[in-house]
């Protein structure tokens, strides 16, 4: 594998991404600012939406200008192997995405320390109510443990989705335009619905465990089993499993994309 070539491909993609007006990039920045602001002003748990929502548009953001200016065939004219192109774009996408999620994670840790959201939180017997701490205590976690668990699950699931989206890009680069024009194809719509379902299940789980939502005896047993696994090592075990699953999916999609792209007619 020629790492010098891969480095130049990444640099070429970086120039292409920044070579014109990129609506997806602007949208991603606005989403980051909004949900990071929610993390500081409402609860750090709001930061879990960043991996989900950025993941939906991340690949289109990186390759929007290439498709917009019809330069996706340019790489066919360059003396590079298809495997190097796939490697470079998977590497660029995953590193860029993980760096963005890492920055959000550090900002939410800062929000957890600063606790600006307590300034206008509802008071309980003269003391502001810390919703994050209250939820963590109810579920049997530390505040940091609960946040790490939820954030790891969100990140692992979205790594899964981003890897699949990148493979779809190599199959048909024009799907970037479909997302950009908001005429979402069936596959992209399915991914968004899946993310909404995951968030809904997470909310139902929290409501069930805290007792806000009444559940039957059979469901209570299942919830307790899941909670026992989730509480192991203060959420570290389940969070690690979610991240490993996401990373394994990235590796599987990379290998599949290499084989698909080698056989593809361009």
């Amino acid at each position: 594998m020629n790492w010098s070539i891969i480095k130049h491909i990444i640099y070429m993609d970086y120039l292409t991404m920044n070579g014109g007006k990129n609506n997806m990039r602007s949208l991603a920045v606005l989403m980051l600012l909004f949900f990071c602001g929610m993390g500081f002003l409402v609860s750090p748990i709001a930061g879990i939406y960043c991996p989900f929502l950025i993941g939906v548009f991340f690949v289109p953001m990186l390759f929007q200008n290439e498709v917009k200016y019809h330069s996706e065939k340019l790489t066919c004219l360059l003396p590079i192997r298809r495997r190097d192109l796939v490697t470079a774009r998977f590497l660029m996408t995953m590193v860029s995405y993980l760096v963005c999620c890492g920055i959000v994670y550090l900002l939410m840790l800062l929000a957890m320390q600063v606790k600006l959201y307590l300034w206008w939180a509802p008071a309980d017997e003269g003391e502001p109510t810390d919703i994050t701490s209250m939820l963590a205590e109810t579920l049997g976690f530390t505040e940091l443990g609960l946040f790490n668990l939820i954030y790891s699950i969100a990140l692992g699931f979205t790594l899964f989705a981003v890897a699949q989206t990148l493979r779809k890009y190599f199959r048909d680069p024009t799907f970037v335009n479909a997302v950009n024009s908001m005429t979402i194809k069936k596959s992209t719509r399915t991914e968004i619905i899946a993310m909404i379902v995951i968030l809904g299940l997470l909310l139902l789980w929290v409501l069930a465990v805290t007792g806000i939502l009444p559940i039957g005896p059979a469901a209570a047993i299942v919830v307790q089993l899941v909670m026992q696994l989730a509480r192991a090592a203060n959420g570290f075990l389940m969070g690690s499993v979610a991240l490993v699953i996401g990373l394994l999916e990235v590796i599987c999609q990379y290998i599949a994309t290499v084989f698909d792209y080698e056989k593809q007619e361009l």
Side-chain angles (χ1 to χ4, degrees):
M1 191 171 293
N2 193 328
W3 290 105
S4 176
I5 293 293
I6 290 174
K7 183 178 71 174
H8 282 87
I9 295 172
I10 292 174
Y11 183 64
M12 177 189 71
D13 285 336
Y14 173 77
L15 292 177
T16 303
M17 181 180 69
N18 292 282
K21 186 177 180 181
N22 193 322
N23 296 327
M24 286 292 174
R25 185 178 58 208
S26 302
L27 180 60
V29 171
L30 287 175
M31 287 192 300
L32 270 174
L33 292 176
F34 176 76
F35 284 102
C36 284
M38 292 286 288
F40 277 94
L41 301 177
V42 179
S43 169
I45 294 179
I48 69 168
Y49 282 91
C50 290
F52 279 121
L53 295 177
I54 296 174
V56 172
F57 297 104
F58 204 78
V59 174
M61 178 191 76
L62 291 177
F63 302 113
Q64 179 193 34
N65 283 339
E66 179 180 273
V67 176
K68 179 180 178 181
Y69 297 110
H70 306 287
S71 57
E72 62 270 14
K73 302 289 185 176
L74 173 63
T75 51
C76 302
L77 305 176
L78 300 177
I80 58 176
R81 297 187 307 171
R82 294 190 185 186
R83 179 176 300 180
D84 289 338
L85 179 63
V86 173
T87 301
R89 291 189 164 172
F90 261 85
L91 191 61
M92 177 184 179
T93 301
M94 294 305 161
V95 170
S96 300
Y97 178 71
L98 289 174
V99 166
C100 289
C101 291
I103 292 172
V104 173
Y105 176 78
L106 293 176
L107 287 174
M108 293 304 99
L109 291 185
L110 178 62
M112 208 175 294
Q113 294 298 320
V114 177
K115 295 186 182 295
L116 289 177
Y117 45 84
L118 291 183
W119 290 8
W120 44 78
D124 184 10
E125 296 182 0
E127 292 292 331
T129 303
D130 187 344
I131 299 175
T132 308
S133 295
M134 183 177 64
L135 183 61
E137 184 178 352
T138 304
L139 297 175
F141 295 91
T142 64
E143 187 176 350
L144 179 60
L146 177 63
F147 176 75
N148 285 340
L149 173 61
I150 298 177
Y151 198 83
S152 297
I153 293 173
L155 183 56
F157 177 80
T158 313
L159 279 173
F160 195 99
V162 170
Q164 291 190 344
T165 305
L166 189 56
R167 185 181 177 187
K168 289 172 186 172
Y169 165 80
F170 277 99
R171 286 178 175 173
D172 180 17
T174 58
F175 97 97
V176 171
N177 283 336
V179 177
N180 185 41
S181 63
M182 296 304 169
T183 57
I184 302 175
K185 291 186 178 180
K186 182 178 179 181
S187 58
T188 308
R189 188 185 304 121
T190 302
E191 291 171 2
I192 293 176
I193 292 173
M195 290 184 180
I196 294 172
V197 170
I198 292 292
L199 290 173
L201 290 175
L202 181 61
L203 178 60
L204 287 175
W205 172 68
V206 172
L207 293 176
V209 172
T210 54
I212 297 174
L213 182 67
I215 56 177
I221 295 174
V222 175
V223 169
Q224 288 303 317
L225 288 174
V226 173
M227 283 302 302
Q228 289 296 327
L229 177 60
R231 290 193 188 105
N234 195 29
F236 178 79
L237 181 60
M238 181 177 280
S240 298
V241 169
L243 288 176
V244 168
I245 291 173
L247 291 173
L248 288 176
E249 176 65 12
V250 171
I251 294 171
C252 290
Q253 291 296 331
Y254 164 72
I255 295 172
T257 303
V258 169
F259 285 110
D260 289 346
Y261 199 56
E262 289 282 0
K263 297 181 293 185
Q264 186 174 327
E265 292 277 346
L266 297 177

